[in-house]
Amino acid sequence: MGGIKMRIKVIVPVSTDIWNKMIEEAYSKHKDPDTEITIVNIKKGPESIEMIYDEVWAELEALLEAEKAEKEGYDAVIDYCFGDPGLMAIKEALDIPVVGLCEPSIHIASTLGRKFSVVSVGGMKAKGMVLERVKSYGLEHKLASVRLVEIKVLDIKKDFDKLVEALYEEAKKAVEEDGADVIVLGCGSLLNIAEILQKRLGVPVIDPGLAALKYTEMLVKLGLKQSKKAYPKPYEKKRTM
Amino acid sequence: MGGIKMRIKVIVPVSTDIWNKMIEEAYSKHKDPDTEITIVNIKKGPESIEMIYDEVWAELEALLEAEKAEKEGYDAVIDYCFGDPGLMAIKEALDIPVVGLCEPSIHIASTLGRKFSVVSVGGMKAKGMVLERVKSYGLEHKLASVRLVEIKVLDIKKDFDKLVEALYEEAKKAVEEDGADVIVLGCGSLLNIAEILQKRLGVPVIDPGLAALKYTEMLVKLGLKQSKKAYPKPYEKKRTM
Amino acid sequence: MGGIKMRIKVIVPVSTDIWNKMIEEAYSKHKDPDTEITIVNIKKGPESIEMIYDEVWAELEALLEAEKAEKEGYDAVIDYCFGDPGLMAIKEALDIPVVGLCEPSIHIASTLGRKFSVVSVGGMKAKGMVLERVKSYGLEHKLASVRLVEIKVLDIKKDFDKLVEALYEEAKKAVEEDGADVIVLGCGSLLNIAEILQKRLGVPVIDPGLAALKYTEMLVKLGLKQSKKAYPKPYEKKRTM
Amino acid sequence: MGGIKMRIKVIVPVSTDIWNKMIEEAYSKHKDPDTEITIVNIKKGPESIEMIYDEVWAELEALLEAEKAEKEGYDAVIDYCFGDPGLMAIKEALDIPVVGLCEPSIHIASTLGRKFSVVSVGGMKAKGMVLERVKSYGLEHKLASVRLVEIKVLDIKKDFDKLVEALYEEAKKAVEEDGADVIVLGCGSLLNIAEILQKRLGVPVIDPGLAALKYTEMLVKLGLKQSKKAYPKPYEKKRTM
Amino acid sequence: MGGIKMRIKVIVPVSTDIWNKMIEEAYSKHKDPDTEITIVNIKKGPESIEMIYDEVWAELEALLEAEKAEKEGYDAVIDYCFGDPGLMAIKEALDIPVVGLCEPSIHIASTLGRKFSVVSVGGMKAKGMVLERVKSYGLEHKLASVRLVEIKVLDIKKDFDKLVEALYEEAKKAVEEDGADVIVLGCGSLLNIAEILQKRLGVPVIDPGLAALKYTEMLVKLGLKQSKKAYPKPYEKKRTM
Amino acid sequence: MGGIKMRIKVIVPVSTDIWNKMIEEAYSKHKDPDTEITIVNIKKGPESIEMIYDEVWAELEALLEAEKAEKEGYDAVIDYCFGDPGLMAIKEALDIPVVGLCEPSIHIASTLGRKFSVVSVGGMKAKGMVLERVKSYGLEHKLASVRLVEIKVLDIKKDFDKLVEALYEEAKKAVEEDGADVIVLGCGSLLNIAEILQKRLGVPVIDPGLAALKYTEMLVKLGLKQSKKAYPKPYEKKRTM
């Protein structure tokens, strides 16, 4: 018996395509055999998302891409950023499953331990964005801490070893000082790191990009998508841009 | 001794100017003598905001207007919509006080009783937007209910008496069945109604537009604004639109 | 590229094998192509689990089966009952992923809407078992209601249409009166029902048995399992039975 | 157009008048032009309020003063102590707005950041009083910490510089170690300090006495007062003292 | 071996002695053999306590009686009113155990079921007093409802059968409609009723006066009293009345 | 007047009788004169309970002993282990009061201060068991910390002075660093220690074994037991072992 065929569109809500290939490689490796992946970034918007401010610059473009994806016949959409920019609006707009990075990651974390920490790049300025997401998803009481290294998203590729070491140091403190049972990496660009940290730390470390992929495949296979009672179809009205 | 002089820019985050005059009249009547008010709507965006989806269409334009207002030397900005579209991003961007409609209204409600209900137009589809706001501000445990009449925002002016009656019926149920001590009207377009309902219901009814005005004046006079620790200045980076 | 090969042992923690075939059929249909499923029930214990009392009769046997499964080289274990009997003890004992039915189902529900209801059989006496699970997993604030029809688990097969109708009636009330956005069926024996209810209700309906399967596959593919910091290996000591 | 005329009675619930002039000066400077302020202290009671115990000595006198104020035709009453002694009883008794110091301050703090700390004098013995107030107002989840310097209220005037330095040190720790975004000074006698600390700390610092004044003016202008559903008129009955 | 000898002073914080004998009879019947009970009411204050307002009239007198009791060598003090007037202040003042009526009753209720309701007299105006107590003791999430019959405390003795019937009706609704597993009677004057209701309802019904007695005896036997870290000794200072 | 006669069966849910005499001595000293105590351990099970895993090995045997106790005519049952193994199942099964060690201890703690810590043996591996109990009883928000010394339960008797010192060190940190007002010892084997620690620490220290005894006596005297609405009688069905 074969697997379920499905086509997923991954929307990277930044105005640069530097991540697309990296995501494509990771997704090729981890997707189910019968899953087809298309990765696009938005054409206009911020070059990276590190704060709530950046999200506002990305949301409408991401939303329009998502609406286009549904029209193109995709089975699901991934909003590929840990800030889940515009996610609830896209859930309202679409009748196919829509998945962010933060929402599935922290829910999976919540089933693997009693407390989790989010460890990421972007510096302390990014903390508010993470806190708002966790609060909105109702898992604030399970958040041990948010620890962010002072490396900007666009500098991630500069020195991979230094990046891993910095994340490891914070993740270790999260486990030893803050009481985290599980670590959630807080950025979609931190690919190929979770496994390394998991081995060194001895606790589960979640890669949000991969978590989003497997969670989406799971939803499609289960025939599930966001409740249209919670996220109803928007009214028809005049909207200009 | 005279009052404190201040200039407030009111941004109505919809692409129609049909509300501006109504707001201007209400604000002229309720502002402090030394407050100067400028009201602008956004040029592009949704014609009304009734769901999270609409907010995404309005947020960037509202944000840009707010940034412009700071450069123009305004002392404060009001984001004139109960969905508080883009509010946290604007708080990050600006160094002057930024006030929405939902945030001050429900905090004032919280000081006047133990439970409040939000009563508004926009129909049940608008419920998610209100729930997300109340949750984000951490007052979910004080929310008795959200009751929404099936009248669209753009139809508010069609039949004022019917509108008031419909809102009264829901507000009454909020008080008698849901346990609300205070009613918060959930839309900036519901001017000149709070007072009528308050008299009929015998409990406080908060007009969010007026609450925003007086709350803003209060903050300016107290020399207070959003904490830049909670809402730090965005990084410089390339952002296009 | 082929899928990930994995072997999952499904432990049905009741002393009857009447469900095994039904589960096998459903799992054959929904498992990934490269997943191998083995289904066993416990030899001693209660004939059904409807209350916390029944769980105590099942837990040690389920635990022993799970320990055996790990020794047999399985990649994961499913504790196939919505009461998740002994789940945390099994998580402590094992180094492979262990998944119950309630825990993944309500977490998935939590990502599809703001509030969910559990609808099941077993009668009102079963309510405590459900409440304790939801509380233990920290999602009590998202629980709209628990609605249980007065049909015993062992009578499920007697009249399928009546069963579906009874569940539909309660699920409908959960959605319309209690505010549920999502329905979670609260028993592993309610196979082939979620899809019917989902169509009639128009909101997501989660089959906990299938959710457990796909969630387990997801965890294995992501290289994740319960945190041994939260669920540490038991001490060696004398234990008799 | 002129401002709204209003008369506010400020009740200082301690048996000493040493604060009255200081408050009068601060209020003269910060009140709106058309606001009239009358400041009285209670004749019997504790010479300062630092614990729940002291509050019990002050409450009935404060309540009687408040009832008198309503009869005298005042438009609002301020219960000028951060412990808000007897505040809910006064809200029950009166039909005009009644405002304490803690309640408006922490609600304003809640709109300026995600977490606030209360920093004050009175020593660690005063902590319970603050905790009970914050809990009663339902903002406990936003409280980062309570930090109290070991200076008694009656010693505040002895060495202003030392006082400010001690408060600064605790406020700094609240921001850097406890995660506070906003500082709330926790005593009505700490006038002329918030501004100094705010400049040095770079986060909002709220003076509760001034916050009470501006909040009261705001309520009166909005035509709002405590809900008589939450705080109903007391029954007529025999009460002696 | 004999029991533990102890002397308990019961302070009835109302200015009437009409309850003393009734309490004495109930306490004589339920106290341990070696417990000595002294019952006093306050000389000045409200004739009954039905609201927060009444509490303010009673608190200082109750506090002074409690301080006197400690000097007289009593082993414990009971603050005999469900509003627990001045309880935290008395806990601060005394080094012997101090017990109210609400605090032990709802904690006992919390160990007997998942949700409890408070059912009492005093009418809906009394609701705030109960809500504030439950919130202060941190058990708000276990409160199913507060149901109050429109009979004043001073009219309790007028028609016992009618009183019992009215309480029964509300308690029944609390169990059947609100989800209460346990009923807590919300007034110290409702003696000899819990047993009747418990038989008719089939769920535990707690008499707060008797609960206070047995809880106090338990604390004394266990050598426990309020933590002086939470309720520290008040500072010496001038306090007048 | 004599006391209330009652017979309590104490079930020690471990397969060793080494604790029975120690408990008997402590209970003889602290029980009321007319209370009769019978202490039994289970014949099969773990030799000590330090984790959730151990509980699963003990629960059914403890349950069967409890059912036997009810048939033997006991007035109440104590489940003598801080993990309260199988407690809710026993509450369902029995019509007489059933009391664990954790549940009454932390509820008493909750009435003596605002925050409590659990201090015990068993090492950090035991933390999950304690956390799950506190969460299940709904007092998680009052838990300051869980501090566990790395001494195994079966090694308790080896060096009493070292044990006491180790517990004292952790309890001291709980009070000074974690904010605990009250200490709850987290194991039934820690007899004769609470009093020593209480004297040294100056805050209440609760011995859970003694707390269980006096709480049980209190419930019996008050005619109270677990609500059969919350813990309904199990259905008749086939259960084998």
Side-chain angles (χ1 to χ4, degrees), chain E residues 65-99:
Chain E
E65 272 296 343
E67 292 187 321
K68 193 177 146 205
E70 185 171 33
K71 281 188 203 120
E72 291 165 345
Y74 282 92
D75 297 295
V77 163
I78 292 175
D79 183 12
Y80 197 91
C81 170
F82 198 79
D84 294 357
L87 184 64
M88 289 201 184
I90 305 178
K91 287 187 175 186
E92 289 180 346
L94 268 54
D95 276 316
I96 55 172
V98 184
V99 174

Side-chain angles (χ1 to χ4, degrees), chain D residues 10 23 32 55 59-60 102 110 116 123 132 150 191 220 229:
Chain D
V10 179
I23 300 167
D32 282 345
E55 292 194 275
E59 287 178 6
L60 183 51
C102 179
S110 164
F116 62 87
E132 287 301 318
E150 293 294 334
L191 290 161
V220 172
K229 179 158 176 255

